[in-house]
């Protein structure tokens, strides 16, 4: 059985790229969200095995969304996506409870490596 993943990014193109990488590797993308507020709602509704979350988004950024999701479920598995040069935000998101991060523009191998490390 495939693992269920929620993809969160304000750019539809990025969500599509990540979804494509994941589905080709046997993972199920059960939902998508375009900001942190929607991510928190979708997490509660879908209870995915993993969330792949962008850091910089409108309404609620990824770091706040991680804090909110982890506040509701300490076992939540979250991987952050960030652009190059966002080291401070990556560190902050890991401190907030994210398990790993992938840097944009990302290679498919790195995405799968991070996902399989997090949820197998």
């Amino acid at each position: 059985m495939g693992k269920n993943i929620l993809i969160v990014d304000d750019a539809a193109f990025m969500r599509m790229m990540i979804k494509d990488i994941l589905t080709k590797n046997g993972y199920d993308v059960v939902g998508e969200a375009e900001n942190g507020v929607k991510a928190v709602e979708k997490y509660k509704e879908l209870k995915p095995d993993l969330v792949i979350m962008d850091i910089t988004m409108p309404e609620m950024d990824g770091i706040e969304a991680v804090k909110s999701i982890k506040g509701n479920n300490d076992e939540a598995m979250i991987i952050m996506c960030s652009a190059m040069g966002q080291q401070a935000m990556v560190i902050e998101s890991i401190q907030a409870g994210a398990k790993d991060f992938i840097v944009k523009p990302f290679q498919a191998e790195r995405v799968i490596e991070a996902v399989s490390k997090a949820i197998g």
Side-chain angles (χ1 to χ4, degrees):
M1 188 185 106
K3 300 282 186 171
N4 297 329
I5 301 175
L6 170 64
I7 300 171
V8 186
D9 198 305
D10 55 329
F13 174 71
M14 293 306 289
R15 293 196 308 268
M16 191 177 73
M17 274 180 50
I18 297 169
K19 183 176 186 173
D20 189 51
I21 292 167
L22 294 171
T23 52
K24 282 181 178 164
N25 284 275
Y27 294 99
D28 296 324
V29 175
V30 291
E32 297 181 28
E34 64 277 2
N35 62 52
V37 174
K38 292 262 179 14
V40 174
E41 290 170 7
K42 292 261 187 184
Y43 185 86
K44 287 178 187 169
E45 174 194 331
L46 301 168
K47 297 176 180 50
D49 298 306
L50 178 71
V51 181
I52 297 180
M53 176 129 39
D54 187 23
I55 292 180
T56 313
M57 296 180 291
E59 289 187 55
M60 179 193 281
D61 69 21
I63 296 167
E64 289 306 311
V66 168
K67 288 177 183 171
S68 183
I69 290 170
K70 292 292 278 187
N72 290 320
N73 178 4
D74 194 45
E75 300 294 302
M77 284 286 184
I78 304 167
I79 295 174
M80 302 308 283
C81 289
S82 74
M84 292 294 266
Q86 290 186 318
Q87 273 348 85
M89 291 175 108
V90 167
I91 291 166
E92 198 179 335
S93 63
I94 299 290
Q95 288 169 338
K99 290 283 176 251
D100 203 348
F101 67 94
I102 39 184
V103 178
K104 296 177 188 177
F106 34 66
Q107 270 63 50
E109 304 80 46
R110 175 66 188 116
V111 174
I112 296 307
E113 177 194 323
V115 170
S116 61
K117 205 164 77 180
I119 59 171

